[in-house]
């Protein structure tokens, strides 16, 4: 103890030893981004600590005789015996509109080579989620531009919707399409534990689609320390909360929380916290619950802003019953489940209609979409069941054959290439045509051609009709009559063309 006092006296002259020992400590062990510190008797949990060389740490383990801290950044310059000081403040991050179009690291520092950030506004990285009194029920749709999702698994502003599936099943593509489709929503894309080359491709794709103007990219790549990967989602969430508190709508995507749990497990085991199921620490549920609970839609009294969360979880061999997937499923308001078998069969997005669900449901849909998508989910689910049954039997009755043919055409309509979100009025009209039998006579292999030419026909001949649906977000009798006339005329023309080609 006398050695520590001598160091303290040299460090800060003129202060009483007792007062100094409460705010200053000494590193007794350092390695793998974790420091064990003696002293710091008045340190608080999650308080920012100052290490030599301008490096900071975060106090996580408050033990009887020592403090376990996570180093934020490069820890190679820290050595045993170094002085550590408390700062009296929690970890904060830069927020503001100046971050739009920028790529930052897990602490909010720019890494895109476009210069320093000019913003002076800071927000705490960890914050208590909005309470029940300040919230409002989710009712405004967040359009993803993906027909299958907007029709059957609608997402509302302020919702938490999980995107789950095996590796390489299109989870990130859904997130990208959603960002590209936004016009009045601020987007924050948080990349956790991915290769820097993949993040660069994502940024290039968003720039090409002119979506970076309303997007912030937070990147904690696979080469970054576990501490940065652990903090990145909270940093992205704080940036989104700033816009929510201003009364704006924000969307934050965590890609992915499986790697986030891995990073937290690494930090926890190095801090010698006891491991539990699958070697995760006991508080791994709290890790994600305190993050995702911050997504909310605020009432008008508190600004009326919203923060929507789209967490991503990677499964192994379609196992949704593993520890981390079940944890996050229980926290979120539904899940978009992508199945590898459907993906390899060419159905993209590879959406499993049976397991996918949105607990907000029709409350986050326009009346027009609700009118056309009502029986879509049931028809598709019946088709999947009948198609599986039909593999074992060649003798099918007429009704079953008709149901299978309808399902084939609906499946084709819901197929969508990546990075090409569809406006909601175009989704409504093609789904209306599909569910009202206009595609029944169209060969399955021609359905995609039908859709492209049908939308083009309406744009040229019935431009006002599409504009009316987009504006009123409803299909009344007048619109239905116009739609019936236009669709009938086009379908007859298209079928004549197909017949002529076949001859």
């Amino acid at each position: 103890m006398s050695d520590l006092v001598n160091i303290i006296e040299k460090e800060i002259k003129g202060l009483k030893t007792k007062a100094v020992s409460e705010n200053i400590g000494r590193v007794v062990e350092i390695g793998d981004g974790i420091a064990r510190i003696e002293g710091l008797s008045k340190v608080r949990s999650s308080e920012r600590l100052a290490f030599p060389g301008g490096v900071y740490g975060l106090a996580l383990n408050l033990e009887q005789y020592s403090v376990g801290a996570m180093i934020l950044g490069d820890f190679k310059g820290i050595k045993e015996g170094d002085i550590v000081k408390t700062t009296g403040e929690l970890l904060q991050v830069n927020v503001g509109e100046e971050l739009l179009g920028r790529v930052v690291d897990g602490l909010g520092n720019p890494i895109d080579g476009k210069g320093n950030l000019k913003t002076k506004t800071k927000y705490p990285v960890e914050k208590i989620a909005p309470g029940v009194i300040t919230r409002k029920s989710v009712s405004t749709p967040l359009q993803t531009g993906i027909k299958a999702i907007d029709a059957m698994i609608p997402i509302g502003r302020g919702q938490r919707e999980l995107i789950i599936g095996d590796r390489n099943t299109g989870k990130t593509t859904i997130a990208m399409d959603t960002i590209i489709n936004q016009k009045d929503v601020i987007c924050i894309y948080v990349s956790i534990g991915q290769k820097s080359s993949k993040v660069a491709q994502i940024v290039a794709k968003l720039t090409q689609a002119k979506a970076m103007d309303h997007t912030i990219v937070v990147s904690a790549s696979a080469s970054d320390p576990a501490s940065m990967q652990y903090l990145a989602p909270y940093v992205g969430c704080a940036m989104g909360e700033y816009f929510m508190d201003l009364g704006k709508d924000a969307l934050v995507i965590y890609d992915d929380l499986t790697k986030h749990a891995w990073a937290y497990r690494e930090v926890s085991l190095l801090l010698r916290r006891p491991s539990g199921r699958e070697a995760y620490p006991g508080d791994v549920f709290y890790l994600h619950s305190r993050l995702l609970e911050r997504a909310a839609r605020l009432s008008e009294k508190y600004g009326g802003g919203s923060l929507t969360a789209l967490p991503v979880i990677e499964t192994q061999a379609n196992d949704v019953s593993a520890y981390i997937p079940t944890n996050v499923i229980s926290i979120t308001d539904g899940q978009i489940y992508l199945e590898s078998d459907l993906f390899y069969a060419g159905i993209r997005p590879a959406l499993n209609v049976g397991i996918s669900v949105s607990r907000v449901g029709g409350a986050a849909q326009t009346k027009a979409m609700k009118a056309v998508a009502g029986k879509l989910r049931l028809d598709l689910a019946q088709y999947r069941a009948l198609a599986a049954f039909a593999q074992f039997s060649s003798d099918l009755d007429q009704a079953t054959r008709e149901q299978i043919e309808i399902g084939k055409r609906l499946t084709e309509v819901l197929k969508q290439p990546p990075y090409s979100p569809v406006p909601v009025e175009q989704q409504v009209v093609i789904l209306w045509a599909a569910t009202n039998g206009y595609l029944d006579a169209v060969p399955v292999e021609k359905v995609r051609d039908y859709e492209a030419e049908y939308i083009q026909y309406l744009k040229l001949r019935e431009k006002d009709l599409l504009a009316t649906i987009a504006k009123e977000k409803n299909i009344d009798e007048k619109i239905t009559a116009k739609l019936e006339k236009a669709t009938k005329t086009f379908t007859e023309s298209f079928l004549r063309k197909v017949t002529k080609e076949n001859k």
Side-chain angles (χ1 to χ4, degrees), residues 94-149:
N94 291 317
V95 295
E97 294 190 2
E98 293 84 354
L99 275 83
L100 294 175
R102 302 297 300 270
V103 183
V104 297
D105 65 11
L107 289 172
N109 303 313
I111 54 173
D112 53 6
K114 295 182 180 178
N116 295 326
L117 297 170
K118 296 176 183 178
T119 180
K120 295 284 192 291
T121 312
K122 289 184 179 290
Y123 251 49
V125 170
E126 294 267 9
K127 190 178 172 188
I128 296 173
V132 176
I133 303 301
T134 61
R135 292 177 184 248
K136 185 183 178 184
S137 61
V138 175
S139 58
T140 308
L142 180 100
Q143 301 291 348
T144 64
I146 301 168
K147 290 173 283 187
I149 293 174

Side-chain angles (χ1 to χ4, degrees), residues 76-92:
K76 292 173 184 174
I78 300 170
K79 59 186 184 299
E80 189 179 334
D82 281 348
I83 291 297
V84 185
K85 302 175 185 176
T86 56
T87 61
E89 58 186 40
L90 300 175
L91 188 64
Q92 295 182 317

Side-chain angles (χ1 to χ4, degrees), residues 221-365:
S221 66
S223 58
D224 287 340
S227 57
M228 302 289 267
Q229 295 180 41
Y230 159 66
L231 285 173
Y234 300 102
V235 167
C237 187
M239 292 173 180
E241 280 179 326
Y242 168 78
F243 293 105
M244 177 176 71
D245 291 344
L246 286 179
K248 297 182 179 181
D249 294 312
L251 165 69
V252 60
I253 292 159
Y254 307 110
D255 191 8
D256 65 82
L257 292 188
T258 304
K259 294 185 179 72
H260 183 229
W262 292 353
Y264 184 64
R265 174 168 61 184
E266 182 181 329
V267 169
S268 296
L269 294 178
L270 288 168
L271 284 165
R272 296 174 190 168
R273 291 180 177 177
S275 57
R277 180 178 162 188
E278 295 180 30
Y280 288 104
D283 63 336
V284 76
F285 180 89
Y286 179 58
L287 170 78
H288 291 146
S289 64
R290 74 178 192 267
L291 170 70
L292 296 172
E293 287 294 339
R294 290 160 73 175
R297 186 183 180 204
L298 301 179
S299 63
E300 276 72 18
K301 183 181 177 183
Y302 295 92
S306 72
L307 179 64
T308 310
L310 291 182
V312 177
I313 285 288
E314 183 182 301
T315 55
Q316 307 289 331
N318 296 317
D319 182 14
V320 293
S321 62
Y323 190 27
I324 301 302
T326 50
N327 273 357
V328 183
I329 284 170
S330 66
I331 297 165
T332 50
D333 306 314
Q335 67 272 353
I336 297 165
Y337 178 59
L338 304 177
E339 195 171 354
S340 50
D341 290 345
L342 294 173
F343 185 85
Y344 298 136
I347 299 170
R348 303 183 187 172
L351 199 65
N352 184 313
V353 184
I355 299 179
S356 300
V357 65
S358 172
R359 295 187 186 102
V360 172
Q365 269 183 320

